[in-house]
Amino acid sequence: MDGYTAALTGMESGERGPGPQLPGKPWGARVWKLCGALALLALCGVAALLFLCHSQTQAHGIENNEHQQHLKHISTNVRAAIHLHGEFNPEVRNSSVLWRDGDGHSFFQGGLRLVNNEIIIPQNGLYFVYSQVSFRVLCSSSGGHTNRPISHTIMRWSDAYNDRKPLLSAIRTTCQRDAESNGRSKSWYNAVYMGAVFSLEREDRLWTETNLLKDVDGEDEKTFFGVFAL
């Protein structure tokens, strides 16, 4: 009875003992879970960065490829052409003007080139071939140039017929009767120009043959030789 009375007294006074405790998760498990989440976020960030870098690399690669294709397209569309400046040089064979590809307005492109004072044709096709030689002759009734003609010829060598043949040729008469004035010699100026379209083949060689080479005027753009593809 005393025990029962004490129990009732305790209940009436509102005192309660410790209730049942809910089972909780260990602290270590929470730490591992947090670390896993952070690692997952880091992996996602690295993957996004790698994807961005790969995309930029692909974009740069496409851009570079397009640039290279554009340059290739331009280079393949360059029209073959060559323009040479000429002058007399006693060290060159006696029948030819010395041609230069690096003086004045001279240039070459598209495969046409100057080799051993000859123009080499890069491929089969139609070409406009032209040349001019200017002369300054000292005329005198007692001199050897009196009424002596000047001549200029463009020659061609082709493997198709394994021979050399003239492609263009022109002749001018020098020293008119009034060339001598008051018993003194007089200079006579003239130019021989020629040009025409020809069907040429790969590895054809073109060169010139000119007489009176010592009288050739080698000033800029007075004597020239050129070819361009049509």
Side-chain angles (χ1 to χ4, degrees), residues 53-103:
C53 292
H54 180 67
S55 300
Q56 291 179 347
T57 301
Q58 284 187 329
H60 286 303
I62 294 174
E63 182 179 354
N64 290 335
N65 186 49
E66 291 178 350
H67 181 64
Q68 291 176 359
Q69 292 295 331
H70 181 64
L71 292 178
K72 184 178 180 180
H73 178 71
I74 293 176
S75 63
T76 55
N77 287 338
V78 171
R79 178 173 296 180
I82 188 169
H83 181 81
L84 307 172
H85 168 71
E87 62 184 18
F88 168 68
N89 189 320
E91 296 181 0
V92 181
R93 56 189 179 186
N94 296 330
S95 61
S96 177
V97 173
L98 173 63
W99 300 111
R100 299 184 180 276
D101 57 9
D103 296 341

Side-chain angles (χ1 to χ4, degrees), residues 12-24:
E12 290 176 356
S13 61
E15 293 180 0
R16 295 184 180 179
Q21 305 223 347
L22 296 175

Side-chain angles (χ1 to χ4, degrees), residues 30-203:
R30 295 180 184 178
V31 172
W32 282 110
K33 192 170 185 180
L34 180 60
C35 291
L38 293 175
L40 181 60
L41 288 175
L43 288 175
C44 291
V46 172
L49 182 60
L50 290 176
F51 177 77
L52 179 62
C53 292
H54 180 67
S55 300
Q56 291 179 347
T57 301
Q58 284 187 329
H60 286 303
I62 294 174
E63 182 179 354
N64 290 335
N65 186 49
E66 291 178 350
H67 181 64
Q68 291 176 359
Q69 292 295 331
H70 181 64
L71 292 178
K72 184 178 180 180
H73 178 71
I74 293 176
S75 63
T76 55
N77 287 338
V78 171
R79 178 173 296 180
I82 188 169
H83 181 81
L84 307 172
H85 168 71
E87 62 184 18
F88 168 68
N89 189 320
E91 296 181 0
V92 181
R93 56 189 179 186
N94 296 330
S95 61
S96 177
V97 173
L98 173 63
W99 300 111
R100 299 184 180 276
D101 57 9
D103 296 341
H105 296 291
S106 61
F107 71 94
F108 61 95
Q109 64 181 29
L112 281 165
R113 64 191 191 278
L114 178 67
V115 179
N116 296 327
N117 217 39
E118 300 175 341
I119 293 178
I120 310 300
I121 304 301
Q123 60 185 4
N124 299 354
L126 294 177
Y127 295 85
F128 184 80
V129 182
Y130 63 93
S131 183
Q132 173 178 296
V133 175
S134 297
F135 293 87
R136 182 174 54 189
V137 180
L138 186 62
C139 298
S140 172
S141 59
S142 60
H145 288 332
T146 302
N147 296 326
R148 182 181 179 184
I150 56 177
S151 66
H152 182 52
T153 304
I154 297 178
M155 301 295 296
R156 175 192 180 191
W157 171 276
S158 179
D159 293 336
Y161 44 78
N162 195 30
D163 196 5
R164 49 178 290 181
K165 292 183 178 181
L167 201 64
L168 288 169
S169 183
I171 299 176
R172 296 284 187 276
T173 301
T174 63
C175 298
Q176 305 301 323
R177 289 183 179 178
D178 59 351
E180 188 173 340
S181 176
N182 298 324
R184 301 177 62 183
S185 299
K186 181 179 179 180
S187 293
W188 176 89
Y189 298 88
N190 203 346
V192 177
Y193 175 83
M194 49 192 176
V197 176
F198 297 93
S199 177
L200 303 178
E201 299 184 358
R202 184 174 181 269
E203 298 301 328

